[in-house]
Amino acid sequence: MEGSEIKIAKIAADLLNDIDSKIDIVLLGNYDVFNANNVELVALVKKIEEFQQSPQLLDNKLRRFIEKLLNSYISNVLEEDDQKKILYFGSTIGLIFYTFTKVRGFKTISNCLSSTPALLASVSQRCSLLLGHDFSVTWQETYLLLVWLSILILVPFPLVSISSSLPETLFNLANHYLQFSGSENDAATILMGRFLSRYDNVIFLNEFLQQLNSKTNEQWTKEKDVIKIGIFKTTNFLLKIGKLQLLFPFLKILLNIAILNLKTSKSTMVIGMCIKNLGKLGVIFLETGDYDSVEDIIDILIHFVGANDTSIRYYVSKQLSKIGKRLPLDMREDIFLCLIKELNIPNIPNLHDEFTNFSSIILLDLQVDYEDIN
């Protein structure tokens, strides 16, 4: 444990109490106008940020903090008519929530959020209303709402039973913020992935993927990288959480758009996300017995093992390992021989013995520079 971590650990209890009291002060403040430089608000943010070295020390009171924020948000924003009050509390709570998430992480914070189904309509409505506001002022509140929606959307009954327009509203919101960079894009990715993974939203899954599949090479080339990153982060998450029965009719579309963007994109981030998509698709095609598609994916991945960018080689090694360790020994040998040929690696003695731990070899051999290999 480093010195700064030890220091925080010693004063954690006092810091948590300070944060608790400062949240109360800020939430009882004068709401005539939102001011990000408000002395109490700035002090609260700084107290939270002191936990960046040891964020887990927040956990003793984290749920209590988030519940306070949400309860205040519900009563002072979702159930309020005074626009000045709504603006103050929306922006203030959004800033505090974002700070907690920045320090403690999306997953841990989202586990503290209320999943009451009755809130789904009002939270989505508020998020829609913010589309017409100055995003430089409302982006942190928007982030809060998108994260919250990604939890509320897990309700175990059809979304149309809440409102007939709710599915389209959620789809449009997620689609809109997938085109943004930053934290709101991350939240929109989770929201869209969970939305499309629901069986009652298969019509939107079809619309989303068919729209992507209809793009030409030229259209993909002109598309902004931030939009492509949002798209492939979404499809990657969808492949991770979606049921095979739901995704099966769309697997070839997902394969096609990933391959197309690998051919047209020069962005390391886009290429990396496409490679991660291919890895998940390769595993799924193995499960379904589509070995032709598995072979196509392996050929494409091997083509990228000599990429100049270290991160791309890392992505490739991870995905080849993921697929390779599920293959019979003779097929692993074939892949490894292709890798040796592609990278111009000298002959290795006792080659057969090397295949007993295929994933380790892939991770080792593909994360070195050409100078180290030759």
Side-chain angles (χ1 to χ4, degrees):
M1 185 179 288
E2 296 181 3
S4 58
E5 293 175 314
I6 295 173
K7 180 182 177 181
I8 292 297
K10 289 181 177 179
I11 62 173
D14 290 335
L15 275 177
L16 290 173
N17 289 333
D18 285 347
I19 290 172
D20 204 356
S21 60
K22 287 187 181 301
I23 287 176
D24 290 337
I25 292 170
V26 170
L27 295 181
L28 290 173
N30 184 338
Y31 55 80
D32 283 343
V33 63
F34 169 70
N35 180 10
N37 296 316
N38 174 278
V39 174
E40 293 294 344
L41 184 56
V42 170
L44 171 58
V45 168
K46 287 182 177 178
K47 290 288 183 184
I48 298 170
E49 289 176 340
E50 287 190 52
F51 283 91
Q52 284 182 329
Q53 294 297 321
S54 299
Q56 71 279 2
L57 294 177
L58 276 169
D59 293 353
N60 285 341
K61 286 194 171 184
L62 185 60
R63 186 171 292 276
R64 171 183 170 85
F65 296 154
I66 301 302
E67 286 178 352
K68 275 189 177 185
L69 294 176
L70 295 189
N71 289 338
S72 178
Y73 190 88
I74 291 169
S75 59
N76 293 302
V77 179
L78 298 182
E79 297 175 352
E80 181 59 56
D81 294 324
D82 185 332
Q83 291 303 309
K84 284 187 177 180
K85 194 172 184 180
I86 290 173
L87 177 60
Y88 172 81
F89 280 100
S91 300
T92 300
I93 293 171
L95 172 57
I96 300 169
F97 178 86
Y98 174 75
T99 306
F100 273 122
T101 308
K102 181 178 65 173
V103 172
R104 192 60 186 97
F106 179 98
K107 185 175 181 179
T108 302
I109 295 296
S110 63
N111 288 336
C112 299
L113 295 174
S114 169
S115 57
T116 305
L119 293 169
L120 189 49
S122 57
V123 172
S124 62
Q125 183 180 21
R126 175 62 184 166
C127 197
S128 296
L129 286 173
L130 290 181
L131 291 172
H133 289 67
D134 182 356
F135 189 68
S136 64
V137 176
T138 63
W139 73 269
Q140 289 160 324
E141 182 185 357
T142 299
Y143 177 73
L144 158 62
L145 294 170
L146 291 171
V147 175
W148 201 354
L149 286 172
S150 74
I151 296 300
L152 292 171
I153 201 175
L154 299 174
V155 293
F157 46 80
L159 296 176
V160 292
S161 64
I162 299 175
S163 168
S164 60
S165 62
L166 182 58
E168 186 171 3
T169 298
L170 292 171
F171 179 71
N172 290 336
L173 281 171
N175 224 358
H176 177 77
Y177 288 108
L178 281 179
Q179 301 177 52
F180 285 60
S181 59
S183 299
E184 60 276 10
N185 179 281
D186 295 333
T189 294
I190 303 298
L191 173 58
M192 182 64 95
R194 287 177 175 165
F195 177 84
L196 297 178
S197 69
R198 293 177 56 101
Y199 281 97
D200 56 327
N201 292 331
V202 66
I203 185 173
F204 294 99
L205 175 60
N206 182 66
E207 178 183 340
F208 181 76
L209 293 178
Q210 292 294 350
Q211 185 179 26
L212 298 179
N213 198 41
S214 66
K215 290 179 180 288
T216 63
N217 284 22
E218 184 179 2
Q219 288 174 318
W220 277 116
T221 302
K222 292 180 178 179
E223 193 74 271
K224 294 179 180 178
D225 286 339
V226 64
I227 295 177
K228 288 190 278 189
I229 290 169
I231 289 169
F232 288 108
K233 280 165 59 180
T234 299
T235 55
N236 186 62
F237 185 59
L238 181 61
L239 287 166
K240 179 180 178 180
I241 66 171
K243 300 295 185 182
L244 179 57
Q245 184 179 357
L246 176 70
L247 297 178
F248 186 79
F250 306 102
L251 293 178
K252 289 299 178 70
I253 293 178
L254 289 164
L255 177 61
N256 290 339
I257 60 176
I259 292 174
L260 187 58
N261 276 273
L262 281 174
K263 292 178 179 178
T264 59
S265 180
K266 296 180 181 179
S267 163
T268 298
M269 277 292 292
V270 174
I271 292 172
M273 290 310 305
C274 289
I275 288 171
K276 292 174 81 170
N277 274 248
L278 288 183
K280 288 184 173 62
L281 284 166
V283 172
I284 293 173
F285 283 129
L286 276 175
E287 294 175 0
T288 61
D290 187 350
Y291 296 107
D292 288 339
S293 293
V294 175
E295 185 176 349
D296 291 341
I297 289 171
I298 291 173
D299 287 343
I300 293 167
L301 293 176
I302 289 175
H303 175 72
F304 280 91
V305 299
N308 292 327
D309 193 291
T310 303
S311 59
I312 292 178
R313 297 202 303 275
Y314 176 77
Y315 290 136
V316 171
S317 68
K318 292 279 286 184
Q319 303 315 313
L320 277 174
S321 299
K322 186 183 296 183
I323 298 170
K325 66 184 180 183
R326 291 172 169 82
L327 294 172
L329 184 60
D330 60 334
M331 295 181 71
R332 285 186 258 172
E333 291 187 10
D334 291 339
I335 296 172
F336 200 72
L337 289 170
C338 289
L339 292 172
I340 291 172
K341 182 179 179 181
E342 183 75 22
L343 294 173
N344 296 316
I345 300 175
N347 290 333
I348 300 175
N350 302 319
L351 188 58
H352 183 82
D353 295 338
E354 299 290 336
F355 300 117
T356 55
N357 192 352
F358 179 84
S359 60
S360 296
I361 294 170
I362 292 294
L363 288 171
L364 175 65
D365 284 340
L366 300 188
Q367 293 181 56
V368 294
D369 294 325
Y370 270 121
E371 291 80 3
D372 300 321
I373 297 172
N374 294 328

